Amino acid sequence: MSQTLYSIAFGVGTQNRQGAWLEVFYAQPLLAPGAELVAAASSALGYTGGNQTLAMTNHQAHDLAGALKQIDAAQAALLTRLAESRKPLVAVLLAEDAAPATTPEAYLKLHLLSHRLVKPHGTSLAGIFPLLPNVAWTNEGAVDLGELAERQLEARLKGELLEVFSVDKFPKMTDYVVPSGVRIADTARVRLGAYIGEGTTIMHEGFVNFNAGTAGPGMIEGRVSAGVFVGKGSDLGGGCSTMGTLSGGGNIVISVGEGCLIGANAGIGIPLGDRCTVESGLYITAGTKVAVLDDQGNLVEVVKARDIAGQNDLLLRRNSQSGAVECKTNKTAIELNAVLHAHN
């Protein structure tokens, strides 16, 4: 069988005692795999088309490793290792970028983001939450919450401790992938499904959600919420809350261009262009009334913040006397007027 796939991945994961998937680890997920690899995988696994999650035996992994030796040495080496696993194996083959339908599919989508194969909102995550079980993340891996008390007792009876780090649908990214060229001061504050670009530094209070991230290089000292993508050379000040969509798969993307500075305790609900500054403590939503000033400080027009969304070289601040939100630009009043009326 020969066909084009959106993605393919071979993984090892954790199931509860009923055989339901809790999580899956994909060491080398592929985007747009080659036709020869797809044909070999289809033959070995009995793939018949569409988006499928297929249980994979150790024997199948071994046979597929042999079939791929001359096609993809890296995938062959991975499958050779997987063939030795005492944990359950799975193969996910996605013919198209549709909403995930199984837990292994959902984990593959999150891996594609954290492996930098797709950017935030670059793959469908619609309906992902029900597919991600809420589990206890422990020093022994993922544990079903219904089995946690018994596992804790078993550990104590052996003189051991089962430590629970968090109870959540999302694990921390670094338990699955550490992208090259990044610094993360507190790994618990970056979820799997975050896209962390080369040269990014995330300080201790920085947080990056799934389906969000940074192009890098830049520094994150505040919160990057789902749906937000921060451009190169930007600095999100400590305690800032960059507001994007609250769940994956939405249609709204809050992008932050290159060279931006969002001050401490500031927040945005609109995308920014390049070289924009939002002063500390200022929170901008799409409906915020903004007094637009020219380069001489004269009032040009009062607009809603959504009307200046995505523009470059903006300074957003609050007037210390009147309390009005102001936007100053290096553009002339005539140029800015043309931009504003183009939105109307």
Side-chain angles (χ1 to χ4, degrees):
M1 179 180 184
S2 177
Q3 71 175 77
T4 300
L5 291 185
Y6 171 71
S7 179
I8 190 172
F10 310 108
V12 56
T14 306
Q15 295 176 326
N16 64 13
R17 290 170 182 170
Q18 286 71 48
W21 287 102
L22 301 181
E23 58 84 41
V24 183
F25 172 73
Y26 300 105
Q28 298 173 28
L30 294 175
L31 191 69
E36 287 186 282
L37 187 150
V38 173
S42 299
S43 176
L45 302 173
Y47 171 68
T48 57
N51 289 4
Q52 290 192 31
T53 295
L54 303 172
M56 184 168 59
T57 67
N58 295 70
H59 182 70
Q60 285 176 314
H62 178 270
D63 288 349
L64 185 52
L68 292 181
K69 279 186 178 179
Q70 303 303 318
I71 299 172
D72 190 320
Q75 292 293 319
L78 169 63
L79 284 156
T80 299
R81 300 293 303 276
L82 292 178
E84 303 169 353
S85 174
R86 288 182 287 182
K87 299 280 285 184
L89 303 177
V90 66
V92 174
L93 298 90
L94 302 180
E96 60 179 348
D97 180 23
T102 66
T103 298
E105 282 187 27
Y107 266 83
L108 173 53
K109 292 296 188 80
L110 297 177
H111 276 72
L112 291 177
L113 284 157
S114 290
H115 277 268
R116 298 178 183 156
L117 296 175
V118 298
K119 291 182 178 179
H121 282 261
T123 189
S124 176
L125 298 178
I128 194 173
F129 283 101
L131 300 174
L132 299 174
N134 194 30
V135 303
W137 300 100
T138 78
N139 58 317
E140 295 183 4
V143 176
D144 188 288
L145 291 178
E147 302 169 3
L148 179 61
E150 185 177 348
R151 291 280 298 273
Q152 289 175 317
L153 177 59
E154 289 175 355
R156 293 284 183 169
L157 293 175
K158 297 176 184 176
E160 301 171 354
L161 174 65
L162 182 67
E163 185 176 359
V164 178
F165 302 119
S166 69
V167 178
D168 196 4
K169 288 178 173 288
F170 292 84
K172 59 184 179 181
M173 181 190 72
T174 53
D175 283 350
Y176 293 80
V177 55
V178 179
S180 61
V182 304
R183 293 169 54 203
I184 304 174
D186 185 348
T187 58
R189 298 180 67 84
V190 182
R191 279 175 152 181
L192 180 65
Y195 180 110
I196 310 299
E198 185 95 17
T200 299
T201 295
I202 302 174
M203 300 302 288
H204 292 80
E205 294 304 316
F207 173 84
V208 184
N209 209 340
F210 81 104
N211 205 25
T214 67
M219 180 172 290
I220 304 299
E221 297 182 88
R223 180 182 180 86
V224 182
S225 300
V228 177
F229 192 59
V230 182
K232 295 181 180 179
S234 294
D235 186 353
L236 273 68
C240 80
S241 176
T242 307
M243 260 232 15
T245 53
L246 299 180
S247 62
N251 294 321
I252 301 173
V253 181
I254 304 298
S255 60
V256 179
E258 298 184 7
C260 292
L261 171 63
I262 301 177
N265 299 310
I268 59 171
I270 61 169
L272 299 177
D274 298 334
R275 301 173 301 279
C276 292
T277 300
V278 181
E279 77 167 4
S280 298
L282 179 60
Y283 202 100
I284 300 289
T285 65
T288 300
K289 294 292 183 66
V290 179
V292 179
L293 310 179
D294 63 17
D295 54 356
Q296 301 300 315
N298 298 314
L299 178 66
V300 176
E301 191 173 357
V302 176
V303 300
K304 291 184 178 180
R306 65 170 63 93
D307 295 325
I308 57 174
Q311 300 301 312
N312 299 329
D313 302 298
L314 301 181
L315 167 62
L316 290 159
R317 67 188 187 190
R318 189 176 294 279
N319 187 295
S320 60
Q321 293 182 314
S322 67
V325 177
E326 297 177 339
C327 174
K328 193 169 183 179
T329 175
N330 292 327
K331 305 296 184 183
T332 68
I334 294 176
E335 290 173 326
L336 186 60
N337 254 322
V339 170
L340 293 171
H341 289 295
H343 283 278
N344 296 333

